[in-house]
Amino acid sequence: MFNCFLHHKNFLLTCVLTLFLSTNTTHAQNTKKQIKALYIPLADHYAAVVAYEKYRDKMIHADFQIQQMKNWDLLRAYFQSGEVDMAYVMSPLAMDMYTEKAHFRWIGLMHRDGNALAINDIIKQKINLAKNRIDRKPDQQVAKALNAFNQSSGKPIEIGMPHLLATHTVVLYRYLKEHGLTLSLNSNTQASVLAISLAPPKAPAFIKSKSIRNKAAAFEQSLPWADVVETGGFGHVAWYSKDVMPWENGHVECIALATNHAISEKFEATQEVMNYIKLAGADIEQARTQGGEKLAEIVKIIRKHIPAHTKEAIIASLDPKLRVINYQSLNIDKPGLAQIMNLAVEGNILKQKINIDEFSDIRFDTK
């Protein structure tokens, strides 16, 4: 009978412990704050995807969720509605959004550098393109070819950008300016080059269709799209943005935004997400250097969420020798953003400047 009593007592204790642990786990889950973030399928946002896959279950404060958007205008509209907590946005677009509705703050970087100019064979025929991509620099060759097409047709050559308010547009403006050419965002304004909005996934098809009609074509897009056309054999990387816009640690590109509501009501959760994005960035950096299984794991994670990015293009984009995009030094970089802003206003890409100190929340910076 005594053994029965012990058995019954142990059973009750097990039940109580199970109930206690279950209640505590449920309580922990219930106390997590939802942090929903919007992203675009680009190498720019790989760290967010990696953070989601590797670390969301380790987060104590945040119930981290990501939602992929098809284009920048949809992302802008959704984020400006105030229904989500975070978004990863190109810096000129983010500043324009802030001018429109200042309901969010800048809390960090998603990456540095990371876009490239891709050209088709029609343009390549007019230039001497270095065999190795690391040797392709923003010299005058492409500018001279663009000018020649402009002079012969009497029309500006169209170059596809992910959005007219893209960092890419600022980079292109600077490149053209340094070689005596002009850029317009409006077809009614006379210029050497006309920037047109072109959703990143459609950029390779844009190059292909123009080539079929024997027309010069180019686009400036985030990685890996420029690498997609080169690895696919129907286009060429002409130069990388890091060489047009040299900056310590790499130029500012896509930045992380959080709504004022998320910052005030879910500060620990928002901070936790940003910290894990930085950790995920470090993971990508380690994987690209070591290669092997670590790189294979990163590629697998990325392709799970962005299957349009081929294994070859992802690996090419993360080439440790090229280092044309990096996920280091992701704290707020005010002088780096000022560089982009000043050029954007000068090139009539942005209508006005913003107060970068008010735009930033440096509490999210890590040592």
Side-chain angles (χ1 to χ4, degrees), residues 279-340:
L279 182 58
D283 291 343
I284 296 172
E285 290 293 337
Q286 183 184 44
R288 79 195 299 181
T289 302
Q290 292 187 6
E293 291 183 5
K294 284 189 176 294
L295 182 58
E297 179 193 12
I298 295 296
V299 171
K300 183 178 179 181
I301 287 172
I302 292 166
R303 298 210 71 237
K304 177 181 177 181
H305 290 265
I306 317 174
H309 291 192
T310 65
K311 174 185 176 182
E312 294 75 17
I314 295 168
I315 291 173
S317 297
L318 298 178
D319 188 324
K321 294 179 182 177
L322 276 176
R323 288 198 60 77
V324 292
I325 186 170
N326 80 77
Y327 306 88
Q328 296 173 317
S329 304
L330 300 185
N331 282 338
I332 286 168
D333 179 356
K334 292 182 183 180
L337 186 66
Q339 180 198 38
I340 302 295

Short mmCIF file of all heavy atoms in Angstrom, two decimals, residues 279-340:
data_model
loop_
_atom_site.label_atom_id
_atom_site.label_comp_id
_atom_site.label_asym_id
_atom_site.label_seq_id
_atom_site.Cartn_x
_atom_site.Cartn_y
_atom_site.Cartn_z
N LEU A 279 23.34 39.71 -35.57
CA LEU A 279 23.98 38.40 -35.36
C LEU A 279 23.88 37.57 -36.64
O LEU A 279 24.85 36.89 -37.02
CB LEU A 279 23.31 37.68 -34.20
CG LEU A 279 23.91 36.32 -33.81
CD1 LEU A 279 25.39 36.44 -33.45
CD2 LEU A 279 23.13 35.71 -32.64
N ALA A 280 22.74 37.64 -37.29
CA ALA A 280 22.55 36.91 -38.55
C ALA A 280 23.50 37.44 -39.62
O ALA A 280 24.03 36.67 -40.43
CB ALA A 280 21.10 37.02 -39.02
N GLY A 281 23.70 38.75 -39.62
CA GLY A 281 24.67 39.34 -40.54
C GLY A 281 26.06 38.79 -40.31
O GLY A 281 26.79 38.49 -41.26
N ALA A 282 26.43 38.63 -39.04
CA ALA A 282 27.74 38.06 -38.70
C ALA A 282 27.81 36.60 -39.17
O ALA A 282 28.87 36.14 -39.62
CB ALA A 282 27.98 38.15 -37.20
N ASP A 283 26.69 35.88 -39.07
CA ASP A 283 26.65 34.50 -39.55
C ASP A 283 26.90 34.42 -41.05
O ASP A 283 27.62 33.54 -41.54
CB ASP A 283 25.28 33.87 -39.24
CG ASP A 283 25.05 33.65 -37.75
OD1 ASP A 283 26.04 33.67 -36.98
OD2 ASP A 283 23.88 33.46 -37.36
N ILE A 284 26.29 35.35 -41.79
CA ILE A 284 26.48 35.37 -43.25
C ILE A 284 27.94 35.66 -43.58
O ILE A 284 28.53 35.03 -44.46
CB ILE A 284 25.56 36.41 -43.90
CG1 ILE A 284 24.08 36.04 -43.70
CG2 ILE A 284 25.85 36.54 -45.39
CD1 ILE A 284 23.09 37.11 -44.14
N GLU A 285 28.52 36.61 -42.84
CA GLU A 285 29.92 36.96 -43.07
C GLU A 285 30.84 35.76 -42.80
O GLU A 285 31.79 35.51 -43.55
CB GLU A 285 30.33 38.15 -42.19
CG GLU A 285 29.69 39.47 -42.58
CD GLU A 285 30.17 39.98 -43.93
OE1 GLU A 285 31.27 39.59 -44.38
OE2 GLU A 285 29.44 40.77 -44.55
N GLN A 286 30.55 35.04 -41.73
CA GLN A 286 31.36 33.86 -41.40
C GLN A 286 31.18 32.78 -42.46
O GLN A 286 32.15 32.15 -42.90
CB GLN A 286 30.95 33.32 -40.03
CG GLN A 286 31.79 32.13 -39.58
CD GLN A 286 31.30 31.54 -38.27
OE1 GLN A 286 30.11 31.36 -38.06
NE2 GLN A 286 32.24 31.24 -37.36
N ALA A 287 29.95 32.59 -42.91
CA ALA A 287 29.66 31.55 -43.90
C ALA A 287 30.33 31.83 -45.24
O ALA A 287 30.87 30.92 -45.88
CB ALA A 287 28.15 31.43 -44.09
N ARG A 288 30.31 33.09 -45.66
CA ARG A 288 30.92 33.42 -46.95
C ARG A 288 32.43 33.21 -46.92
O ARG A 288 33.04 32.91 -47.94
CB ARG A 288 30.58 34.86 -47.34
CG ARG A 288 31.42 35.91 -46.64
CD ARG A 288 30.87 37.30 -46.73
NE ARG A 288 30.77 37.79 -48.09
CZ ARG A 288 30.34 39.02 -48.41
NH1 ARG A 288 29.96 39.84 -47.44
NH2 ARG A 288 30.27 39.40 -49.65
N THR A 289 33.03 33.40 -45.75
CA THR A 289 34.48 33.23 -45.60
C THR A 289 34.86 31.76 -45.53
O THR A 289 35.81 31.32 -46.18
CB THR A 289 34.99 33.96 -44.33
OG1 THR A 289 34.65 35.35 -44.43
CG2 THR A 289 36.50 33.82 -44.19
N GLN A 290 34.09 30.99 -44.76
CA GLN A 290 34.43 29.58 -44.54
C GLN A 290 33.95 28.68 -45.68
O GLN A 290 34.56 27.65 -45.96
CB GLN A 290 33.83 29.09 -43.22
CG GLN A 290 34.46 29.74 -41.99
CD GLN A 290 33.96 29.12 -40.69
OE1 GLN A 290 33.23 28.14 -40.70
NE2 GLN A 290 34.37 29.69 -39.57
N GLY A 291 32.85 29.08 -46.32
CA GLY A 291 32.30 28.24 -47.38
C GLY A 291 31.77 26.93 -46.82
O GLY A 291 31.38 26.84 -45.66
N GLY A 292 31.76 25.90 -47.64
CA GLY A 292 31.36 24.57 -47.18
C GLY A 292 29.96 24.50 -46.63
O GLY A 292 29.02 25.10 -47.17
N GLU A 293 29.81 23.76 -45.51
CA GLU A 293 28.49 23.52 -44.93
C GLU A 293 27.83 24.81 -44.44
O GLU A 293 26.61 24.95 -44.53
CB GLU A 293 28.60 22.51 -43.78
CG GLU A 293 28.94 21.10 -44.24
CD GLU A 293 28.96 20.12 -43.09
OE1 GLU A 293 28.63 20.52 -41.95
OE2 GLU A 293 29.33 18.95 -43.32
N LYS A 294 28.63 25.71 -43.88
CA LYS A 294 28.06 26.95 -43.35
C LYS A 294 27.43 27.78 -44.47
O LYS A 294 26.34 28.33 -44.32
CB LYS A 294 29.12 27.77 -42.61
CG LYS A 294 29.46 27.24 -41.23
CD LYS A 294 30.33 28.19 -40.46
CE LYS A 294 30.57 27.68 -39.04
NZ LYS A 294 29.33 27.64 -38.23
N LEU A 295 28.11 27.88 -45.60
CA LEU A 295 27.57 28.62 -46.73
C LEU A 295 26.36 27.90 -47.31
O LEU A 295 25.36 28.53 -47.68
CB LEU A 295 28.63 28.83 -47.81
CG LEU A 295 28.21 29.63 -49.05
CD1 LEU A 295 27.72 31.02 -48.66
CD2 LEU A 295 29.36 29.74 -50.04
N ALA A 296 26.44 26.57 -47.37
CA ALA A 296 25.32 25.78 -47.89
C ALA A 296 24.07 25.99 -47.04
O ALA A 296 22.95 26.06 -47.56
CB ALA A 296 25.70 24.30 -47.91
N GLU A 297 24.27 26.12 -45.71
CA GLU A 297 23.13 26.36 -44.81
C GLU A 297 22.49 27.71 -45.10
O GLU A 297 21.25 27.82 -45.16
CB GLU A 297 23.60 26.32 -43.36
CG GLU A 297 22.48 26.59 -42.35
CD GLU A 297 22.98 26.87 -40.94
OE1 GLU A 297 24.19 27.09 -40.76
OE2 GLU A 297 22.13 26.89 -40.02
N ILE A 298 23.32 28.74 -45.30
CA ILE A 298 22.80 30.08 -45.61
C ILE A 298 22.04 30.07 -46.93
O ILE A 298 20.95 30.63 -47.05
CB ILE A 298 23.95 31.11 -45.64
CG1 ILE A 298 24.59 31.27 -44.25
CG2 ILE A 298 23.45 32.46 -46.16
CD1 ILE A 298 23.68 31.81 -43.18
N VAL A 299 22.63 29.42 -47.94
CA VAL A 299 21.98 29.33 -49.26
C VAL A 299 20.63 28.63 -49.14
O VAL A 299 19.64 29.07 -49.73
CB VAL A 299 22.89 28.59 -50.26
CG1 VAL A 299 22.14 28.31 -51.56
CG2 VAL A 299 24.14 29.43 -50.57
N LYS A 300 20.59 27.56 -48.36
CA LYS A 300 19.34 26.81 -48.18
C LYS A 300 18.26 27.68 -47.53
O LYS A 300 17.10 27.67 -47.94
CB LYS A 300 19.62 25.57 -47.33
CG LYS A 300 18.40 24.67 -47.14
CD LYS A 300 18.74 23.44 -46.31
CE LYS A 300 17.52 22.55 -46.11
NZ LYS A 300 17.85 21.36 -45.27
N ILE A 301 18.65 28.44 -46.51
CA ILE A 301 17.71 29.33 -45.82
C ILE A 301 17.16 30.38 -46.79
O ILE A 301 15.95 30.63 -46.85
CB ILE A 301 18.39 30.02 -44.62
CG1 ILE A 301 18.61 29.03 -43.48
CG2 ILE A 301 17.55 31.21 -44.12
CD1 ILE A 301 19.44 29.56 -42.34
N ILE A 302 18.06 30.99 -47.54
CA ILE A 302 17.65 32.05 -48.47
C ILE A 302 16.71 31.50 -49.54
O ILE A 302 15.66 32.09 -49.83
CB ILE A 302 18.88 32.71 -49.12
CG1 ILE A 302 19.67 33.49 -48.06
CG2 ILE A 302 18.47 33.64 -50.27
CD1 ILE A 302 21.06 33.89 -48.50
N ARG A 303 17.05 30.35 -50.10
CA ARG A 303 16.24 29.79 -51.19
C ARG A 303 14.89 29.28 -50.69
O ARG A 303 13.94 29.19 -51.47
CB ARG A 303 17.00 28.67 -51.91
CG ARG A 303 18.29 29.14 -52.57
CD ARG A 303 18.65 28.35 -53.80
NE ARG A 303 17.73 28.64 -54.89
CZ ARG A 303 17.02 27.72 -55.53
NH1 ARG A 303 17.10 26.45 -55.16
NH2 ARG A 303 16.22 28.05 -56.51
N LYS A 304 14.81 28.97 -49.40
CA LYS A 304 13.52 28.58 -48.82
C LYS A 304 12.52 29.73 -48.92
O LYS A 304 11.33 29.53 -49.21
CB LYS A 304 13.70 28.17 -47.36
CG LYS A 304 12.41 27.82 -46.65
CD LYS A 304 12.66 27.44 -45.19
CE LYS A 304 11.35 27.17 -44.46
NZ LYS A 304 11.59 26.81 -43.03
N HIS A 305 13.01 30.96 -48.71
CA HIS A 305 12.14 32.14 -48.74
C HIS A 305 12.15 32.85 -50.09
O HIS A 305 11.16 33.48 -50.46
CB HIS A 305 12.57 33.12 -47.64
CG HIS A 305 12.28 32.64 -46.26
ND1 HIS A 305 11.13 32.98 -45.57
CD2 HIS A 305 12.98 31.82 -45.43
CE1 HIS A 305 11.14 32.40 -44.39
NE2 HIS A 305 12.25 31.68 -44.28
N ILE A 306 13.29 32.74 -50.80
CA ILE A 306 13.42 33.45 -52.08
C ILE A 306 13.93 32.46 -53.13
O ILE A 306 15.10 32.51 -53.54
CB ILE A 306 14.38 34.66 -51.97
CG1 ILE A 306 14.12 35.44 -50.67
CG2 ILE A 306 14.23 35.58 -53.17
CD1 ILE A 306 15.13 36.57 -50.42
N PRO A 307 13.07 31.55 -53.60
CA PRO A 307 13.52 30.52 -54.54
C PRO A 307 13.98 31.08 -55.90
O PRO A 307 14.72 30.41 -56.62
CB PRO A 307 12.28 29.63 -54.71
CG PRO A 307 11.13 30.46 -54.25
CD PRO A 307 11.67 31.36 -53.19
N ALA A 308 13.58 32.31 -56.22
CA ALA A 308 14.01 32.91 -57.49
C ALA A 308 15.50 33.21 -57.50
O ALA A 308 16.09 33.37 -58.57
CB ALA A 308 13.22 34.20 -57.76
N HIS A 309 16.12 33.29 -56.32
CA HIS A 309 17.56 33.49 -56.24
C HIS A 309 18.25 32.14 -56.39
O HIS A 309 18.13 31.28 -55.53
CB HIS A 309 17.95 34.13 -54.91
CG HIS A 309 17.50 35.55 -54.77
ND1 HIS A 309 17.95 36.38 -53.77
CD2 HIS A 309 16.65 36.30 -55.51
CE1 HIS A 309 17.38 37.57 -53.89
NE2 HIS A 309 16.60 37.54 -54.94
N THR A 310 18.95 31.97 -57.48
CA THR A 310 19.63 30.70 -57.73
C THR A 310 20.81 30.51 -56.78
O THR A 310 21.37 31.49 -56.27
CB THR A 310 20.14 30.62 -59.17
OG1 THR A 310 21.16 31.63 -59.36
CG2 THR A 310 19.03 30.84 -60.18
N LYS A 311 21.17 29.28 -56.56
CA LYS A 311 22.32 28.97 -55.71
C LYS A 311 23.57 29.67 -56.24
O LYS A 311 24.35 30.27 -55.48
CB LYS A 311 22.54 27.46 -55.67
CG LYS A 311 23.80 27.02 -54.93
CD LYS A 311 24.02 25.52 -55.05
CE LYS A 311 25.33 25.10 -54.40
NZ LYS A 311 25.58 23.63 -54.55
N GLU A 312 23.75 29.62 -57.57
CA GLU A 312 24.94 30.22 -58.18
C GLU A 312 24.97 31.73 -57.98
O GLU A 312 26.03 32.30 -57.68
CB GLU A 312 24.97 29.90 -59.68
CG GLU A 312 25.16 28.44 -60.02
CD GLU A 312 23.91 27.58 -59.80
OE1 GLU A 312 22.81 28.17 -59.70
OE2 GLU A 312 24.04 26.35 -59.73
N ALA A 313 23.82 32.39 -58.13
CA ALA A 313 23.76 33.85 -57.98
C ALA A 313 23.99 34.28 -56.54
O ALA A 313 24.66 35.28 -56.27
CB ALA A 313 22.42 34.38 -58.48
N ILE A 314 23.45 33.51 -55.58
CA ILE A 314 23.65 33.82 -54.16
C ILE A 314 25.13 33.72 -53.81
O ILE A 314 25.70 34.61 -53.18
CB ILE A 314 22.82 32.88 -53.26
CG1 ILE A 314 21.32 33.11 -53.48
CG2 ILE A 314 23.17 33.10 -51.79
CD1 ILE A 314 20.43 32.04 -52.85
N ILE A 315 25.75 32.63 -54.24
CA ILE A 315 27.17 32.43 -53.94
C ILE A 315 28.02 33.50 -54.62
O ILE A 315 28.97 34.02 -54.02
CB ILE A 315 27.61 31.01 -54.38
CG1 ILE A 315 26.94 29.97 -53.48
CG2 ILE A 315 29.13 30.86 -54.34
CD1 ILE A 315 27.15 28.52 -53.91
N ALA A 316 27.65 33.87 -55.85
CA ALA A 316 28.39 34.93 -56.56
C ALA A 316 28.26 36.26 -55.83
O ALA A 316 29.23 37.02 -55.71
CB ALA A 316 27.88 35.06 -57.99
N SER A 317 27.07 36.54 -55.31
CA SER A 317 26.83 37.80 -54.59
C SER A 317 27.61 37.86 -53.29
O SER A 317 28.02 38.94 -52.86
CB SER A 317 25.33 37.96 -54.30
OG SER A 317 24.59 38.05 -55.49
N LEU A 318 27.81 36.70 -52.67
CA LEU A 318 28.50 36.64 -51.38
C LEU A 318 29.98 36.31 -51.52
O LEU A 318 30.64 36.00 -50.53
CB LEU A 318 27.82 35.60 -50.46
CG LEU A 318 26.35 35.88 -50.10
CD1 LEU A 318 25.79 34.75 -49.23
CD2 LEU A 318 26.20 37.22 -49.39
N ASP A 319 30.50 36.40 -52.73
CA ASP A 319 31.91 36.12 -52.99
C ASP A 319 32.79 36.90 -52.00
O ASP A 319 32.78 38.14 -52.00
CB ASP A 319 32.25 36.53 -54.43
CG ASP A 319 33.66 36.09 -54.84
OD1 ASP A 319 34.57 36.13 -53.99
OD2 ASP A 319 33.85 35.74 -56.01
N PRO A 320 33.57 36.22 -51.16
CA PRO A 320 34.37 36.92 -50.15
C PRO A 320 35.51 37.75 -50.74
O PRO A 320 36.01 38.67 -50.08
CB PRO A 320 34.91 35.78 -49.27
CG PRO A 320 34.91 34.58 -50.16
CD PRO A 320 33.73 34.75 -51.08
N LYS A 321 35.93 37.43 -51.95
CA LYS A 321 36.99 38.21 -52.59
C LYS A 321 36.46 39.51 -53.16
O LYS A 321 37.10 40.56 -53.08
CB LYS A 321 37.65 37.37 -53.69
CG LYS A 321 38.41 36.15 -53.17
CD LYS A 321 39.02 35.35 -54.30
CE LYS A 321 39.73 34.11 -53.76
NZ LYS A 321 40.28 33.27 -54.87
N LEU A 322 35.27 39.45 -53.74
CA LEU A 322 34.64 40.66 -54.29
C LEU A 322 34.16 41.59 -53.18
O LEU A 322 34.35 42.81 -53.25
CB LEU A 322 33.46 40.28 -55.17
CG LEU A 322 33.73 39.90 -56.63
CD1 LEU A 322 32.44 39.47 -57.29
CD2 LEU A 322 34.34 41.06 -57.38
N ARG A 323 33.48 41.02 -52.20
CA ARG A 323 32.90 41.79 -51.08
C ARG A 323 32.13 43.01 -51.59
O ARG A 323 32.40 44.15 -51.20
CB ARG A 323 33.98 42.22 -50.09
CG ARG A 323 34.52 41.07 -49.26
CD ARG A 323 35.24 41.52 -48.01
NE ARG A 323 34.36 42.28 -47.12
CZ ARG A 323 33.45 41.71 -46.33
NH1 ARG A 323 33.27 40.41 -46.32
NH2 ARG A 323 32.70 42.47 -45.56
N VAL A 324 31.18 42.75 -52.47
CA VAL A 324 30.40 43.85 -53.05
C VAL A 324 29.13 44.14 -52.25
O VAL A 324 28.37 45.06 -52.57
CB VAL A 324 30.05 43.57 -54.52
CG1 VAL A 324 31.32 43.59 -55.36
CG2 VAL A 324 29.35 42.21 -54.68
N ILE A 325 28.89 43.34 -51.23
CA ILE A 325 27.85 43.63 -50.24
C ILE A 325 28.40 43.10 -48.92
O ILE A 325 29.13 42.11 -48.90
CB ILE A 325 26.50 42.95 -50.59
CG1 ILE A 325 25.40 43.38 -49.61
CG2 ILE A 325 26.62 41.44 -50.63
CD1 ILE A 325 23.99 42.95 -50.02
N ASN A 326 28.10 43.79 -47.83
CA ASN A 326 28.55 43.25 -46.54
C ASN A 326 27.51 43.51 -45.47
O ASN A 326 26.66 44.40 -45.60
CB ASN A 326 29.93 43.80 -46.16
CG ASN A 326 29.88 45.20 -45.58
OD1 ASN A 326 29.53 45.39 -44.42
ND2 ASN A 326 30.27 46.19 -46.39
N TYR A 327 27.57 42.69 -44.43
CA TYR A 327 26.58 42.73 -43.35
C TYR A 327 27.26 43.06 -42.02
O TYR A 327 26.89 42.54 -40.98
CB TYR A 327 25.84 41.39 -43.28
CG TYR A 327 25.23 40.99 -44.59
CD1 TYR A 327 25.96 40.26 -45.54
CD2 TYR A 327 23.93 41.37 -44.93
CE1 TYR A 327 25.41 39.90 -46.75
CE2 TYR A 327 23.37 41.01 -46.15
CZ TYR A 327 24.12 40.28 -47.05
OH TYR A 327 23.57 39.94 -48.27
N GLN A 328 28.25 43.95 -42.09
CA GLN A 328 28.98 44.37 -40.90
C GLN A 328 28.68 45.84 -40.61
O GLN A 328 28.17 46.57 -41.46
CB GLN A 328 30.49 44.18 -41.13
CG GLN A 328 30.89 42.73 -41.32
CD GLN A 328 32.34 42.58 -41.72
OE1 GLN A 328 32.85 43.31 -42.56
NE2 GLN A 328 33.03 41.62 -41.12
N SER A 329 29.00 46.26 -39.39
CA SER A 329 28.82 47.67 -38.99
C SER A 329 27.39 48.14 -39.29
O SER A 329 27.17 49.09 -40.04
CB SER A 329 29.83 48.57 -39.72
OG SER A 329 31.15 48.14 -39.48
N LEU A 330 26.42 47.46 -38.69
CA LEU A 330 25.02 47.73 -38.98
C LEU A 330 24.37 48.73 -38.02
O LEU A 330 23.15 48.88 -38.01
CB LEU A 330 24.22 46.41 -38.98
CG LEU A 330 24.67 45.36 -40.01
CD1 LEU A 330 23.74 44.16 -40.00
CD2 LEU A 330 24.76 45.96 -41.42
N ASN A 331 25.19 49.41 -37.22
CA ASN A 331 24.65 50.49 -36.40
C ASN A 331 24.30 51.69 -37.28
O ASN A 331 24.71 51.79 -38.43
CB ASN A 331 25.67 50.93 -35.35
CG ASN A 331 25.73 49.98 -34.17
OD1 ASN A 331 24.79 49.24 -33.90
ND2 ASN A 331 26.85 49.99 -33.46
N ILE A 332 23.56 52.61 -36.71
CA ILE A 332 23.18 53.85 -37.40
C ILE A 332 24.44 54.60 -37.83
O ILE A 332 25.39 54.74 -37.06
CB ILE A 332 22.30 54.70 -36.48
CG1 ILE A 332 20.89 54.08 -36.39
CG2 ILE A 332 22.23 56.15 -36.97
CD1 ILE A 332 20.03 54.66 -35.30
N ASP A 333 24.45 55.06 -39.07
CA ASP A 333 25.59 55.79 -39.64
C ASP A 333 25.06 57.12 -40.19
O ASP A 333 24.69 57.21 -41.36
CB ASP A 333 26.23 54.94 -40.75
CG ASP A 333 27.42 55.62 -41.41
OD1 ASP A 333 27.71 56.79 -41.08
OD2 ASP A 333 28.05 54.99 -42.29
N LYS A 334 25.03 58.12 -39.32
CA LYS A 334 24.45 59.41 -39.72
C LYS A 334 25.22 60.09 -40.86
O LYS A 334 24.60 60.56 -41.82
CB LYS A 334 24.35 60.34 -38.51
CG LYS A 334 23.34 59.89 -37.47
CD LYS A 334 23.27 60.89 -36.31
CE LYS A 334 22.32 60.41 -35.23
NZ LYS A 334 22.25 61.39 -34.10
N PRO A 335 26.56 60.16 -40.79
CA PRO A 335 27.29 60.78 -41.92
C PRO A 335 27.08 60.00 -43.22
O PRO A 335 27.00 60.59 -44.30
CB PRO A 335 28.75 60.73 -41.47
CG PRO A 335 28.70 60.64 -39.98
CD PRO A 335 27.48 59.82 -39.69
N GLY A 336 26.97 58.66 -43.12
CA GLY A 336 26.74 57.84 -44.30
C GLY A 336 25.39 58.12 -44.93
O GLY A 336 25.26 58.15 -46.16
N LEU A 337 24.38 58.31 -44.09
CA LEU A 337 23.06 58.64 -44.62
C LEU A 337 23.04 60.05 -45.20
O LEU A 337 22.40 60.30 -46.22
CB LEU A 337 21.99 58.52 -43.52
CG LEU A 337 20.55 58.71 -44.00
CD1 LEU A 337 20.14 57.58 -44.94
CD2 LEU A 337 19.57 58.79 -42.83
N ALA A 338 23.76 60.96 -44.55
CA ALA A 338 23.83 62.34 -45.05
C ALA A 338 24.44 62.38 -46.44
O ALA A 338 24.02 63.17 -47.30
CB ALA A 338 24.64 63.21 -44.08
N GLN A 339 25.43 61.52 -46.70
CA GLN A 339 26.04 61.45 -48.02
C GLN A 339 24.98 61.11 -49.08
O GLN A 339 24.90 61.75 -50.14
CB GLN A 339 27.15 60.40 -48.04
CG GLN A 339 27.84 60.26 -49.41
CD GLN A 339 28.62 58.97 -49.55
OE1 GLN A 339 28.19 57.92 -49.07
NE2 GLN A 339 29.76 59.04 -50.22
N ILE A 340 24.18 60.10 -48.80
CA ILE A 340 23.13 59.69 -49.73
C ILE A 340 22.09 60.80 -49.88
O ILE A 340 21.68 61.15 -50.99
CB ILE A 340 22.43 58.40 -49.23
CG1 ILE A 340 23.45 57.26 -49.05
CG2 ILE A 340 21.32 58.00 -50.18
CD1 ILE A 340 24.11 56.78 -50.30
#
